[in-house]
Amino acid sequence: MSSTEPQLFPSDFLWGGATAANQIEGAYDVDGKGLSIQDVMPHGITTPPTDGPTPENLKNEAIDFYHRYPEDIALFAEMGFRVFRFSIAWSRIYPNGDDAEPNEAGLAFYDRVLDELERHGIEPLITISHYETPLHLAREYGGWTNRKLIGFYEKYCHTLFTRYGHRVKYWLTFNEINSIIHAPFMSGAIPTPKEQLSPTDLHQAIHHELVASARVTRLAHEMIPGVQIGCMLIAIPVYPLTPDPEDVVAAMHTDRANFAFGDVHCRGEYPGYHLRWLRDNGVELQITDEDRADLRHTVDFVSLSYYMSTCATADPDATAGAGNLMGGVANPTLPASEWGWQIDPQGLRVILNTFWERWGKPLFVVENGLGARDEVTEVDGVATVIDDYRIDYLAAHLRQLRETLVDGVEVLGYTSWGCIDLVSASTAQLSKRYGFIYVDRNDDGSGTGNRLRKKSFGWYRDVIASRGARLG
Ligand code: BG6
């Protein structure tokens, strides 16, 4: 930055926090809700799905946002949130996914949440599908491998747009759509174990999701004046492990496996490098002329989650590291979180610039944060968590986001992941905490469910109020 004073974030920048229904709501079988794939994933992605719901699944009750949402939204308002990202549980609206009529009690719940947000002047940002496809669609139809899912999803979206379209401007079609490659059950409701899933079935499922995303983008544009529809990608910059050109090419291929999803959403067709990959791997997709025409409906903006970067190498002996669903080879220059996710604030600037230059669409950082164990302590008789590690992580990323804005990249907003503690997607733990708000609930299910303001709560409030000046 050339000036000595750091630039302030734009006055209309959308500051806020992000969550997903299955990770916060609980009430998994209340008011007519059907089962979702999350109800058979008590241990996240680490073990195969169970036959039915089991008592040890922390998501059964999660943090009980279903009943405590007024208190939680009031806390978000206290921090100055301008936007709150949450998802709608598809199985609350269509309990089986293929039902003839929607479930009124499920629709009414989100009316109440939207009322509460409106009361506090907080803009909703809705993820239509966040790793919580109705279980019936997985078991009876094979999840997104089945073309019929496009129609079920479209009907679900039509119901949402009809009911909430007049009061919700920002929508995301599929959370981290590129994660299906790594987590086909959680992301694509595909019951076949990953190791047995053929590339053809996987890529046919991806194609169906891409067509569905494009079709509902068009639907929203037809139904809702001024609507903004975004795709949502896991954003992981991939660095070559060494300057060896073989590693550079390996990084290019890894990047492209992710870029392909954004290319289709933003350019309206499959890129040549991706078609080549399909040919080289013997994948013949069923693509109709109508599909091709549908894909032409491109998104208004690109949203992303950013937690970490990774490395790629051509060395077949290199071992994969831990990370947000994708892993990759560890970068020897970077520290990592307790869960092995490597911390790289500058990677956020790198990937935002890359996406902006590639697609020229406004960007929205809809997830970023540090999963860490917290300890409750007392300060002046008030219970809190002194989470300086989280403040350091977030401050470093927000400084890089500010640099990105100075670079001339258009970023609409920032919603920190897990603004209130929630159940982890990958490990189904509550002890992997991301929030500004601590929730008294533990991995064994014990706890009062009470909410506490962590130190980061006041810090984030000041960052928002000062438009980033507080970051230094
Ligand atoms: C993203 C997901 O992958 O990362 C969230 O969209 C998830 O649902 C978040 O919770 C953090 O991952 P985890 O596994 O720590 O919960």
Side-chain angles (χ1 to χ4, degrees), residues 153-209:
Y153 178 81
E154 244 187 307
K155 182 172 172 182
Y156 163 54
C157 289
H158 189 274
T159 302
L160 300 187
F161 296 159
T162 306
R163 181 80 166 220
Y164 312 122
H166 64 289
R167 60 199 313 206
V168 179
K169 177 176 176 186
Y170 295 99
W171 300 83
L172 310 178
T173 52
F174 290 95
N175 181 62
E176 299 187 334
I177 189 166
N178 47 333
S179 64
I180 189 171
I181 298 176
H182 309 274
F185 183 64
M186 184 166 79
S187 183
I190 303 172
T192 313
K194 187 175 159 184
E195 312 67 47
Q196 293 160 28
L197 184 62
S198 71
T200 298
D201 284 348
L202 173 63
H203 283 273
Q204 193 64 47
I206 292 170
H207 176 68
H208 294 150
E209 285 200 347

Tab-separated table of all heavy atoms in Angstrom, residues 153-209:
chain	number	residue	atom	x	y	z
A	153	TYR	N	-34.481	-30.388	-7.212
A	153	TYR	CA	-33.794	-29.186	-6.715
A	153	TYR	C	-34.478	-27.927	-7.264
A	153	TYR	O	-34.683	-26.948	-6.532
A	153	TYR	CB	-32.329	-29.251	-7.141
A	153	TYR	CG	-31.476	-28.074	-6.744
A	153	TYR	CD1	-30.952	-27.968	-5.458
A	153	TYR	CD2	-31.164	-27.061	-7.658
A	153	TYR	CE1	-30.147	-26.889	-5.091
A	153	TYR	CE2	-30.363	-25.985	-7.304
A	153	TYR	CZ	-29.861	-25.913	-6.018
A	153	TYR	OH	-29.061	-24.845	-5.662
A	154	GLU	N	-34.845	-27.986	-8.528
A	154	GLU	CA	-35.515	-26.826	-9.143
A	154	GLU	C	-36.850	-26.530	-8.455
A	154	GLU	O	-37.187	-25.371	-8.206
A	154	GLU	CB	-35.816	-27.167	-10.598
A	154	GLU	CG	-35.080	-26.291	-11.565
A	154	GLU	CD	-35.540	-26.569	-12.986
A	154	GLU	OE1	-35.522	-27.748	-13.391
A	154	GLU	OE2	-35.889	-25.595	-13.660
A	155	LYS	N	-37.561	-27.600	-8.140
A	155	LYS	CA	-38.852	-27.417	-7.475
A	155	LYS	C	-38.639	-26.806	-6.086
A	155	LYS	O	-39.370	-25.888	-5.666
A	155	LYS	CB	-39.549	-28.783	-7.361
A	155	LYS	CG	-40.917	-28.724	-6.734
A	155	LYS	CD	-41.606	-30.064	-6.852
A	155	LYS	CE	-42.886	-30.074	-6.049
A	155	LYS	NZ	-43.560	-31.365	-6.084
A	156	TYR	N	-37.649	-27.319	-5.374
A	156	TYR	CA	-37.296	-26.777	-4.044
A	156	TYR	C	-36.957	-25.286	-4.164
A	156	TYR	O	-37.461	-24.447	-3.405
A	156	TYR	CB	-36.132	-27.613	-3.505
A	156	TYR	CG	-35.317	-27.071	-2.372
A	156	TYR	CD1	-35.902	-26.639	-1.175
A	156	TYR	CD2	-33.912	-27.038	-2.463
A	156	TYR	CE1	-35.107	-26.174	-0.124
A	156	TYR	CE2	-33.121	-26.589	-1.413
A	156	TYR	CZ	-33.727	-26.150	-0.249
A	156	TYR	OH	-32.936	-25.693	0.780
A	157	CYS	N	-36.151	-24.941	-5.147
A	157	CYS	CA	-35.764	-23.530	-5.327
A	157	CYS	C	-36.973	-22.675	-5.698
A	157	CYS	O	-37.102	-21.544	-5.222
A	157	CYS	CB	-34.698	-23.401	-6.418
A	157	CYS	SG	-33.114	-24.058	-5.898
A	158	HIS	N	-37.841	-23.209	-6.533
A	158	HIS	CA	-39.032	-22.452	-6.920
A	158	HIS	C	-39.842	-22.112	-5.666
A	158	HIS	O	-40.324	-20.987	-5.493
A	158	HIS	CB	-39.868	-23.258	-7.917
A	158	HIS	CG	-40.983	-22.460	-8.524
A	158	HIS	ND1	-42.211	-22.329	-7.916
A	158	HIS	CD2	-41.043	-21.721	-9.662
A	158	HIS	CE1	-42.986	-21.552	-8.660
A	158	HIS	NE2	-42.296	-21.166	-9.733
A	159	THR	N	-39.949	-23.092	-4.765
A	159	THR	CA	-40.675	-22.864	-3.506
A	159	THR	C	-39.986	-21.776	-2.679
A	159	THR	O	-40.639	-20.874	-2.142
A	159	THR	CB	-40.731	-24.190	-2.696
A	159	THR	OG1	-41.356	-25.171	-3.510
A	159	THR	CG2	-41.488	-24.021	-1.401
A	160	LEU	N	-38.665	-21.844	-2.584
A	160	LEU	CA	-37.933	-20.835	-1.790
A	160	LEU	C	-38.070	-19.450	-2.405
A	160	LEU	O	-38.306	-18.461	-1.702
A	160	LEU	CB	-36.446	-21.191	-1.700
A	160	LEU	CG	-36.052	-22.525	-1.062
A	160	LEU	CD1	-34.528	-22.611	-0.926
A	160	LEU	CD2	-36.704	-22.708	0.301
A	161	PHE	N	-37.916	-19.369	-3.717
A	161	PHE	CA	-37.965	-18.050	-4.374
A	161	PHE	C	-39.374	-17.443	-4.245
A	161	PHE	O	-39.535	-16.245	-4.083
A	161	PHE	CB	-37.568	-18.162	-5.848
A	161	PHE	CG	-36.132	-18.615	-6.075
A	161	PHE	CD1	-35.745	-19.171	-7.302
A	161	PHE	CD2	-35.167	-18.493	-5.080
A	161	PHE	CE1	-34.432	-19.582	-7.521
A	161	PHE	CE2	-33.849	-18.914	-5.294
A	161	PHE	CZ	-33.490	-19.462	-6.519
A	162	THR	N	-40.391	-18.321	-4.336
A	162	THR	CA	-41.768	-17.834	-4.210
A	162	THR	C	-42.005	-17.288	-2.799
A	162	THR	O	-42.578	-16.217	-2.614
A	162	THR	CB	-42.768	-18.983	-4.487
A	162	THR	OG1	-42.455	-19.541	-5.757
A	162	THR	CG2	-44.201	-18.508	-4.460
A	163	ARG	N	-41.547	-18.032	-1.824
A	163	ARG	CA	-41.840	-17.662	-0.424
A	163	ARG	C	-40.963	-16.508	0.073
A	163	ARG	O	-41.419	-15.636	0.804
A	163	ARG	CB	-41.608	-18.908	0.437
A	163	ARG	CG	-41.889	-18.733	1.907
A	163	ARG	CD	-43.379	-18.834	2.199
A	163	ARG	NE	-43.627	-18.984	3.615
A	163	ARG	CZ	-44.549	-19.781	4.131
A	163	ARG	NH1	-45.328	-20.487	3.351
A	163	ARG	NH2	-44.716	-19.851	5.430
A	164	TYR	N	-39.681	-16.546	-0.259
A	164	TYR	CA	-38.738	-15.588	0.360
A	164	TYR	C	-38.137	-14.584	-0.634
A	164	TYR	O	-37.388	-13.709	-0.214
A	164	TYR	CB	-37.574	-16.332	1.029
A	164	TYR	CG	-37.987	-17.489	1.919
A	164	TYR	CD1	-37.510	-18.782	1.670
A	164	TYR	CD2	-38.836	-17.299	3.006
A	164	TYR	CE1	-37.878	-19.854	2.482
A	164	TYR	CE2	-39.212	-18.366	3.816
A	164	TYR	CZ	-38.726	-19.639	3.549
A	164	TYR	OH	-39.091	-20.695	4.344
A	165	GLY	N	-38.424	-14.756	-1.914
A	165	GLY	CA	-37.749	-13.941	-2.933
A	165	GLY	C	-37.898	-12.443	-2.717
A	165	GLY	O	-36.990	-11.665	-2.996
A	166	HIS	N	-39.054	-12.020	-2.169
A	166	HIS	CA	-39.286	-10.580	-1.995
A	166	HIS	C	-38.408	-9.990	-0.887
A	166	HIS	O	-38.272	-8.787	-0.767
A	166	HIS	CB	-40.757	-10.318	-1.681
A	166	HIS	CG	-41.202	-10.918	-0.377
A	166	HIS	ND1	-41.348	-12.269	-0.188
A	166	HIS	CD2	-41.503	-10.337	0.805
A	166	HIS	CE1	-41.734	-12.507	1.056
A	166	HIS	NE2	-41.833	-11.352	1.682
A	167	ARG	N	-37.798	-10.868	-0.053
A	167	ARG	CA	-37.024	-10.327	1.074
A	167	ARG	C	-35.592	-10.837	1.123
A	167	ARG	O	-34.869	-10.516	2.072
A	167	ARG	CB	-37.757	-10.619	2.392
A	167	ARG	CG	-37.965	-12.081	2.666
A	167	ARG	CD	-39.057	-12.354	3.695
A	167	ARG	NE	-38.971	-11.555	4.887
A	167	ARG	CZ	-39.448	-11.905	6.095
A	167	ARG	NH1	-40.032	-13.101	6.239
A	167	ARG	NH2	-39.353	-11.127	7.124
A	168	VAL	N	-35.169	-11.640	0.145
A	168	VAL	CA	-33.786	-12.157	0.136
A	168	VAL	C	-33.156	-11.839	-1.214
A	168	VAL	O	-33.620	-12.299	-2.256
A	168	VAL	CB	-33.752	-13.683	0.388
A	168	VAL	CG1	-32.307	-14.194	0.341
A	168	VAL	CG2	-34.403	-14.022	1.725
A	169	LYS	N	-32.077	-11.054	-1.162
A	169	LYS	CA	-31.421	-10.641	-2.402
A	169	LYS	C	-30.289	-11.600	-2.787
A	169	LYS	O	-30.078	-11.882	-3.961
A	169	LYS	CB	-30.857	-9.228	-2.193
A	169	LYS	CG	-30.073	-8.679	-3.359
A	169	LYS	CD	-29.644	-7.236	-3.077
A	169	LYS	CE	-28.781	-6.708	-4.205
A	169	LYS	NZ	-28.230	-5.382	-3.919
A	170	TYR	N	-29.540	-12.098	-1.796
A	170	TYR	CA	-28.333	-12.889	-2.078
A	170	TYR	C	-28.571	-14.378	-1.833
A	170	TYR	O	-28.959	-14.779	-0.722
A	170	TYR	CB	-27.166	-12.425	-1.197
A	170	TYR	CG	-26.722	-11.011	-1.476
A	170	TYR	CD1	-27.138	-9.956	-0.666
A	170	TYR	CD2	-25.899	-10.727	-2.557
A	170	TYR	CE1	-26.740	-8.657	-0.925
A	170	TYR	CE2	-25.491	-9.423	-2.830
A	170	TYR	CZ	-25.922	-8.390	-2.001
A	170	TYR	OH	-25.518	-7.102	-2.272
A	171	TRP	N	-28.279	-15.203	-2.848
A	171	TRP	CA	-28.465	-16.657	-2.761
A	171	TRP	C	-27.218	-17.367	-3.310
A	171	TRP	O	-26.631	-16.915	-4.297
A	171	TRP	CB	-29.633	-17.105	-3.621
A	171	TRP	CG	-30.973	-16.514	-3.285
A	171	TRP	CD1	-31.462	-15.295	-3.691
A	171	TRP	CD2	-32.016	-17.117	-2.506
A	171	TRP	NE1	-32.745	-15.108	-3.208
A	171	TRP	CE2	-33.104	-16.212	-2.482
A	171	TRP	CE3	-32.143	-18.332	-1.835
A	171	TRP	CZ2	-34.300	-16.483	-1.806
A	171	TRP	CZ3	-33.329	-18.611	-1.173
A	171	TRP	CH2	-34.396	-17.696	-1.156
A	172	LEU	N	-26.889	-18.494	-2.707
A	172	LEU	CA	-25.810	-19.349	-3.218
A	172	LEU	C	-26.417	-20.699	-3.572
A	172	LEU	O	-27.197	-21.255	-2.792
A	172	LEU	CB	-24.720	-19.551	-2.154
A	172	LEU	CG	-24.182	-18.280	-1.486
A	172	LEU	CD1	-23.137	-18.642	-0.419
A	172	LEU	CD2	-23.570	-17.355	-2.528
A	173	THR	N	-26.048	-21.248	-4.708
A	173	THR	CA	-26.721	-22.474	-5.158
A	173	THR	C	-26.237	-23.729	-4.416
A	173	THR	O	-27.033	-24.455	-3.828
A	173	THR	CB	-26.591	-22.642	-6.684
A	173	THR	OG1	-25.219	-22.542	-7.059
A	173	THR	CG2	-27.420	-21.615	-7.413
A	174	PHE	N	-24.941	-24.024	-4.455
A	174	PHE	CA	-24.411	-25.215	-3.772
A	174	PHE	C	-23.173	-24.820	-2.976
A	174	PHE	O	-22.241	-24.238	-3.549
A	174	PHE	CB	-23.969	-26.289	-4.782
A	174	PHE	CG	-25.100	-26.950	-5.500
A	174	PHE	CD1	-25.502	-26.489	-6.756
A	174	PHE	CD2	-25.769	-28.030	-4.943
A	174	PHE	CE1	-26.543	-27.094	-7.431
A	174	PHE	CE2	-26.821	-28.640	-5.623
A	174	PHE	CZ	-27.206	-28.171	-6.865
A	175	ASN	N	-23.148	-25.171	-1.706
A	175	ASN	CA	-21.951	-24.906	-0.917
A	175	ASN	C	-20.757	-25.678	-1.483
A	175	ASN	O	-20.864	-26.885	-1.729
A	175	ASN	CB	-22.177	-25.346	0.534
A	175	ASN	CG	-20.970	-25.061	1.406
A	175	ASN	OD1	-20.587	-23.912	1.580
A	175	ASN	ND2	-20.342	-26.099	1.942
A	176	GLU	N	-19.638	-24.988	-1.681
A	176	GLU	CA	-18.384	-25.640	-2.078
A	176	GLU	C	-18.621	-26.732	-3.117
A	176	GLU	O	-18.294	-27.904	-2.915
A	176	GLU	CB	-17.691	-26.233	-0.843
A	176	GLU	CG	-17.333	-25.183	0.185
A	176	GLU	CD	-16.490	-25.693	1.350
A	176	GLU	OE1	-16.557	-26.886	1.668
A	176	GLU	OE2	-15.756	-24.895	1.942
A	177	ILE	N	-19.186	-26.332	-4.254
A	177	ILE	CA	-19.617	-27.327	-5.244
A	177	ILE	C	-18.461	-28.228	-5.690
A	177	ILE	O	-18.664	-29.411	-5.987
A	177	ILE	CB	-20.321	-26.628	-6.444
A	177	ILE	CG1	-20.967	-27.670	-7.356
A	177	ILE	CG2	-19.410	-25.678	-7.182
A	177	ILE	CD1	-21.949	-27.109	-8.372
A	178	ASN	N	-17.231	-27.707	-5.665
A	178	ASN	CA	-16.092	-28.528	-6.099
A	178	ASN	C	-15.679	-29.584	-5.074
A	178	ASN	O	-14.861	-30.453	-5.362
A	178	ASN	CB	-14.883	-27.663	-6.476
A	178	ASN	CG	-14.544	-26.583	-5.467
A	178	ASN	OD1	-15.413	-26.105	-4.744
A	178	ASN	ND2	-13.288	-26.187	-5.400
A	179	SER	N	-16.279	-29.552	-3.877
A	179	SER	CA	-15.911	-30.542	-2.860
A	179	SER	C	-16.433	-31.936	-3.202
A	179	SER	O	-16.014	-32.925	-2.606
A	179	SER	CB	-16.460	-30.122	-1.494
A	179	SER	OG	-17.875	-30.117	-1.537
A	180	ILE	N	-17.341	-32.032	-4.158
A	180	ILE	CA	-17.924	-33.335	-4.498
A	180	ILE	C	-16.840	-34.335	-4.924
A	180	ILE	O	-16.963	-35.540	-4.703
A	180	ILE	CB	-19.013	-33.167	-5.599
A	180	ILE	CG1	-19.788	-34.468	-5.804
A	180	ILE	CG2	-18.430	-32.646	-6.873
A	180	ILE	CD1	-21.011	-34.320	-6.713
A	181	ILE	N	-15.759	-33.837	-5.487
A	181	ILE	CA	-14.666	-34.720	-5.917
A	181	ILE	C	-14.073	-35.457	-4.723
A	181	ILE	O	-13.672	-36.610	-4.828
A	181	ILE	CB	-13.555	-33.880	-6.610
A	181	ILE	CG1	-14.116	-33.212	-7.860
A	181	ILE	CG2	-12.341	-34.712	-6.932
A	181	ILE	CD1	-13.136	-32.299	-8.561
A	182	HIS	N	-14.053	-34.785	-3.579
A	182	HIS	CA	-13.375	-35.347	-2.403
A	182	HIS	C	-14.362	-35.953	-1.402
A	182	HIS	O	-13.977	-36.823	-0.621
A	182	HIS	CB	-12.541	-34.249	-1.726
A	182	HIS	CG	-11.657	-33.559	-2.709
A	182	HIS	ND1	-10.418	-34.041	-3.035
A	182	HIS	CD2	-11.865	-32.465	-3.488
A	182	HIS	CE1	-9.890	-33.259	-3.970
A	182	HIS	NE2	-10.752	-32.298	-4.253
A	183	ALA	N	-15.586	-35.458	-1.395
A	183	ALA	CA	-16.571	-35.943	-0.422
A	183	ALA	C	-17.889	-36.207	-1.146
A	183	ALA	O	-18.867	-35.470	-0.981
A	183	ALA	CB	-16.750	-34.905	0.689
A	184	PRO	N	-17.945	-37.256	-1.990
A	184	PRO	CA	-19.134	-37.442	-2.841
A	184	PRO	C	-20.429	-37.684	-2.078
A	184	PRO	O	-21.497	-37.319	-2.565
A	184	PRO	CB	-18.780	-38.655	-3.713
A	184	PRO	CG	-17.500	-39.211	-3.209
A	184	PRO	CD	-16.869	-38.217	-2.280
A	185	PHE	N	-20.358	-38.269	-0.883
A	185	PHE	CA	-21.609	-38.469	-0.130
A	185	PHE	C	-22.059	-37.155	0.484
A	185	PHE	O	-23.192	-36.707	0.288
A	185	PHE	CB	-21.435	-39.548	0.948
A	185	PHE	CG	-22.723	-39.844	1.691
A	185	PHE	CD1	-23.817	-40.380	1.025
A	185	PHE	CD2	-22.851	-39.565	3.043
A	185	PHE	CE1	-25.019	-40.644	1.692
A	185	PHE	CE2	-24.051	-39.826	3.724
A	185	PHE	CZ	-25.133	-40.360	3.037
A	186	MET	N	-21.174	-36.490	1.229
A	186	MET	CA	-21.572	-35.258	1.915
A	186	MET	C	-21.967	-34.179	0.898
A	186	MET	O	-22.938	-33.457	1.082
A	186	MET	CB	-20.438	-34.751	2.816
A	186	MET	CG	-20.815	-33.525	3.624
A	186	MET	SD	-19.665	-33.153	4.953
A	186	MET	CE	-18.335	-32.369	4.061
A	187	SER	N	-21.208	-34.079	-0.163
A	187	SER	CA	-21.423	-32.979	-1.100
A	187	SER	C	-22.444	-33.321	-2.181
A	187	SER	O	-23.223	-32.461	-2.583
A	187	SER	CB	-20.077	-32.607	-1.721
A	187	SER	OG	-20.181	-31.526	-2.577
A	188	GLY	N	-22.454	-34.592	-2.630
A	188	GLY	CA	-23.321	-34.947	-3.747
A	188	GLY	C	-24.362	-36.001	-3.422
A	188	GLY	O	-25.039	-36.494	-4.330
A	189	ALA	N	-24.473	-36.361	-2.128
A	189	ALA	CA	-25.450	-37.377	-1.685
A	189	ALA	C	-25.292	-38.695	-2.457
A	189	ALA	O	-26.268	-39.420	-2.677
A	189	ALA	CB	-26.874	-36.839	-1.800
A	190	ILE	N	-24.073	-38.986	-2.878
A	190	ILE	CA	-23.828	-40.212	-3.654
A	190	ILE	C	-23.473	-41.335	-2.679
A	190	ILE	O	-22.446	-41.274	-2.005
A	190	ILE	CB	-22.674	-39.998	-4.669
A	190	ILE	CG1	-23.003	-38.816	-5.585
A	190	ILE	CG2	-22.411	-41.271	-5.458
A	190	ILE	CD1	-21.859	-38.401	-6.498
A	191	PRO	N	-24.317	-42.363	-2.596
A	191	PRO	CA	-24.090	-43.390	-1.572
A	191	PRO	C	-22.922	-44.337	-1.870
A	191	PRO	O	-22.414	-44.967	-0.959
A	191	PRO	CB	-25.417	-44.162	-1.537
A	191	PRO	CG	-26.159	-43.775	-2.761
A	191	PRO	CD	-25.579	-42.531	-3.316
A	192	THR	N	-22.502	-44.422	-3.119
A	192	THR	CA	-21.385	-45.325	-3.445
A	192	THR	C	-20.118	-44.844	-2.743
A	192	THR	O	-19.778	-43.665	-2.852
A	192	THR	CB	-21.118	-45.301	-4.971
A	192	THR	OG1	-22.348	-45.427	-5.636
A	192	THR	CG2	-20.155	-46.393	-5.382
A	193	PRO	N	-19.416	-45.730	-2.017
A	193	PRO	CA	-18.173	-45.286	-1.384
A	193	PRO	C	-17.193	-44.706	-2.415
A	193	PRO	O	-17.130	-45.189	-3.547
A	193	PRO	CB	-17.615	-46.563	-0.754
A	193	PRO	CG	-18.789	-47.482	-0.627
A	193	PRO	CD	-19.730	-47.121	-1.736
A	194	LYS	N	-16.500	-43.681	-1.990
A	194	LYS	CA	-15.634	-42.915	-2.894
A	194	LYS	C	-14.679	-43.811	-3.706
A	194	LYS	O	-14.508	-43.621	-4.909
A	194	LYS	CB	-14.824	-41.942	-2.021
A	194	LYS	CG	-14.000	-40.948	-2.759
A	194	LYS	CD	-13.373	-40.010	-1.738
A	194	LYS	CE	-12.172	-39.311	-2.293
A	194	LYS	NZ	-11.509	-38.473	-1.293
A	195	GLU	N	-14.111	-44.818	-3.042
A	195	GLU	CA	-13.127	-45.679	-3.691
A	195	GLU	C	-13.764	-46.502	-4.814
A	195	GLU	O	-13.082	-46.937	-5.742
A	195	GLU	CB	-12.475	-46.656	-2.698
A	195	GLU	CG	-11.967	-46.054	-1.392
A	195	GLU	CD	-13.085	-45.527	-0.489
A	195	GLU	OE1	-14.078	-46.262	-0.296
A	195	GLU	OE2	-12.969	-44.370	-0.011
A	196	GLN	N	-15.077	-46.738	-4.702
A	196	GLN	CA	-15.750	-47.561	-5.730
A	196	GLN	C	-16.485	-46.724	-6.778
A	196	GLN	O	-17.036	-47.256	-7.735
A	196	GLN	CB	-16.769	-48.486	-5.052
A	196	GLN	CG	-16.119	-49.537	-4.179
A	196	GLN	CD	-17.093	-50.096	-3.161
A	196	GLN	OE1	-18.298	-50.131	-3.381
A	196	GLN	NE2	-16.566	-50.529	-2.017
A	197	LEU	N	-16.476	-45.425	-6.587
A	197	LEU	CA	-17.238	-44.553	-7.483
A	197	LEU	C	-16.466	-44.364	-8.795
A	197	LEU	O	-15.299	-43.969	-8.776
A	197	LEU	CB	-17.455	-43.201	-6.782
A	197	LEU	CG	-18.305	-42.164	-7.495
A	197	LEU	CD1	-19.735	-42.666	-7.712
A	197	LEU	CD2	-18.329	-40.864	-6.673
A	198	SER	N	-17.097	-44.632	-9.923
A	198	SER	CA	-16.389	-44.501	-11.211
A	198	SER	C	-16.288	-43.024	-11.580
A	198	SER	O	-17.176	-42.223	-11.241
A	198	SER	CB	-17.135	-45.253	-12.299
A	198	SER	OG	-18.339	-44.558	-12.605
A	199	PRO	N	-15.228	-42.639	-12.307
A	199	PRO	CA	-15.124	-41.237	-12.755
A	199	PRO	C	-16.338	-40.827	-13.577
A	199	PRO	O	-16.780	-39.683	-13.510
A	199	PRO	CB	-13.855	-41.222	-13.613
A	199	PRO	CG	-13.077	-42.431	-13.226
A	199	PRO	CD	-14.060	-43.444	-12.700
A	200	THR	N	-16.915	-41.758	-14.317
A	200	THR	CA	-18.082	-41.396	-15.138
A	200	THR	C	-19.259	-41.011	-14.249
A	200	THR	O	-19.915	-39.981	-14.467
A	200	THR	CB	-18.463	-42.569	-16.067
A	200	THR	OG1	-17.348	-42.812	-16.931
A	200	THR	CG2	-19.695	-42.250	-16.891
A	201	ASP	N	-19.548	-41.826	-13.221
A	201	ASP	CA	-20.672	-41.490	-12.331
A	201	ASP	C	-20.410	-40.178	-11.589
A	201	ASP	O	-21.308	-39.348	-11.437
A	201	ASP	CB	-20.915	-42.622	-11.325
A	201	ASP	CG	-21.618	-43.801	-11.978
A	201	ASP	OD1	-22.098	-43.638	-13.124
A	201	ASP	OD2	-21.670	-44.879	-11.368
A	202	LEU	N	-19.182	-40.024	-11.121
A	202	LEU	CA	-18.854	-38.789	-10.394
A	202	LEU	C	-19.050	-37.565	-11.294
A	202	LEU	O	-19.695	-36.587	-10.904
A	202	LEU	CB	-17.401	-38.846	-9.880
A	202	LEU	CG	-16.895	-37.556	-9.246
A	202	LEU	CD1	-17.690	-37.200	-7.987
A	202	LEU	CD2	-15.403	-37.658	-8.896
A	203	HIS	N	-18.521	-37.626	-12.498
A	203	HIS	CA	-18.592	-36.439	-13.359
A	203	HIS	C	-19.994	-36.223	-13.933
A	203	HIS	O	-20.376	-35.087	-14.216
A	203	HIS	CB	-17.497	-36.488	-14.428
A	203	HIS	CG	-16.177	-36.124	-13.834
A	203	HIS	ND1	-15.729	-34.832	-13.730
A	203	HIS	CD2	-15.256	-36.894	-13.200
A	203	HIS	CE1	-14.566	-34.813	-13.083
A	203	HIS	NE2	-14.252	-36.053	-12.760
A	204	GLN	N	-20.769	-37.309	-14.037
A	204	GLN	CA	-22.170	-37.119	-14.436
A	204	GLN	C	-22.917	-36.383	-13.313
A	204	GLN	O	-23.725	-35.484	-13.564
A	204	GLN	CB	-22.824	-38.476	-14.734
A	204	GLN	CG	-24.160	-38.358	-15.438
A	204	GLN	CD	-24.052	-37.729	-16.838
A	204	GLN	OE1	-23.204	-38.111	-17.635
A	204	GLN	NE2	-24.900	-36.742	-17.119
A	205	ALA	N	-22.605	-36.755	-12.065
A	205	ALA	CA	-23.234	-36.071	-10.925
A	205	ALA	C	-22.840	-34.593	-10.916
A	205	ALA	O	-23.690	-33.706	-10.701
A	205	ALA	CB	-22.814	-36.736	-9.612
A	206	ILE	N	-21.580	-34.322	-11.166
A	206	ILE	CA	-21.114	-32.924	-11.218
A	206	ILE	C	-21.874	-32.164	-12.315
A	206	ILE	O	-22.351	-31.043	-12.106
A	206	ILE	CB	-19.586	-32.872	-11.487
A	206	ILE	CG1	-18.836	-33.416	-10.267
A	206	ILE	CG2	-19.137	-31.462	-11.839
A	206	ILE	CD1	-17.344	-33.637	-10.497
A	207	HIS	N	-22.003	-32.827	-13.461
A	207	HIS	CA	-22.723	-32.186	-14.566
A	207	HIS	C	-24.160	-31.843	-14.149
A	207	HIS	O	-24.649	-30.743	-14.411
A	207	HIS	CB	-22.708	-33.102	-15.790
A	207	HIS	CG	-23.504	-32.560	-16.926
A	207	HIS	ND1	-23.129	-31.421	-17.630
A	207	HIS	CD2	-24.706	-32.953	-17.459
A	207	HIS	CE1	-24.043	-31.157	-18.545
A	207	HIS	NE2	-25.010	-32.073	-18.468
A	208	HIS	N	-24.810	-32.779	-13.469
A	208	HIS	CA	-26.197	-32.507	-13.038
A	208	HIS	C	-26.254	-31.316	-12.082
A	208	HIS	O	-27.157	-30.481	-12.174
A	208	HIS	CB	-26.798	-33.756	-12.363
A	208	HIS	CG	-26.965	-34.912	-13.301
A	208	HIS	ND1	-26.897	-36.226	-12.904
A	208	HIS	CD2	-27.194	-34.949	-14.653
A	208	HIS	CE1	-27.087	-37.020	-13.958
A	208	HIS	NE2	-27.261	-36.268	-15.022
A	209	GLU	N	-25.299	-31.232	-11.184
A	209	GLU	CA	-25.290	-30.085	-10.247
A	209	GLU	C	-25.054	-28.774	-11.012
A	209	GLU	O	-25.673	-27.754	-10.706
A	209	GLU	CB	-24.214	-30.260	-9.173
A	209	GLU	CG	-24.585	-31.282	-8.110
A	209	GLU	CD	-23.780	-31.132	-6.816
A	209	GLU	OE1	-22.766	-30.406	-6.809
A	209	GLU	OE2	-24.179	-31.752	-5.805
